Amino acid sequence: MSLEQAEGAVRAVVVYDGRLLLVPEGDGWALPSGTPEPAESAQATAARAVYELTGYLVDGTEPLEPRDAAGETAVVCQLLSGSPSDGGRFAPEQVRWAPMEETAGTPLPTSVRTYLRGHTPV
């Protein structure tokens, strides 16, 4: 596992019980994402972004390769809390735990689609 400083946006891939964590973005849904702070690894950025947006605690464990064409990194995260804490940008009813079969229309990086196929057909 590499803990190099992240560059570009970092998207968090949080899968729990066959469902993918999504947050509102524009007129649809997207993976939680954030921009790295100075000297912050992609794993730390993903964990921070999920917490700040949703209140869920996660552990950013593994960056997915390759990075997408826009230079974004996706990081697999393990869920550490069963329910969100207060203070996330989105209230619990504003986030979505989407069953894998319902993510087909969600714009996801190719590396994320490949990863999800290894868990449940998408």
Side-chain angles (χ1 to χ4, degrees):
M1 171 168 49
S2 170
L3 292 178
E4 297 175 12
Q5 180 174 346
E7 297 178 11
V10 175
R11 295 203 174 263
V13 182
V14 184
V15 178
Y16 180 74
D17 195 25
R19 298 174 295 151
L20 179 65
L21 179 63
L22 299 173
V23 296
E25 184 174 276
D27 291 336
W29 297 95
L31 298 171
S33 67
T35 303
E37 296 191 359
E40 188 174 52
S41 69
Q43 293 91 327
T45 301
R48 178 180 52 77
V50 169
Y51 184 75
E52 289 176 353
L53 292 172
T54 69
Y56 283 102
L57 288 174
V58 300
D59 180 20
T61 58
E62 186 74 28
L64 296 176
E65 295 293 335
R67 295 174 77 180
D68 74 2
E72 292 184 348
T73 301
V75 175
V76 175
C77 297
Q78 299 300 313
L79 185 65
L80 300 176
S81 60
S83 58
S85 63
D86 293 335
R89 180 173 155 201
F90 299 111
E93 61 273 5
Q94 292 177 293
V95 301
R96 180 170 182 226
W97 285 98
M100 295 295 184
E101 60 274 5
E102 293 178 17
T103 64
T106 304
L108 299 173
T110 302
S111 62
V112 174
R113 287 254 176 245
T114 301
Y115 173 79
L116 294 177
R117 278 190 202 104
H119 288 70
T120 302
V122 177

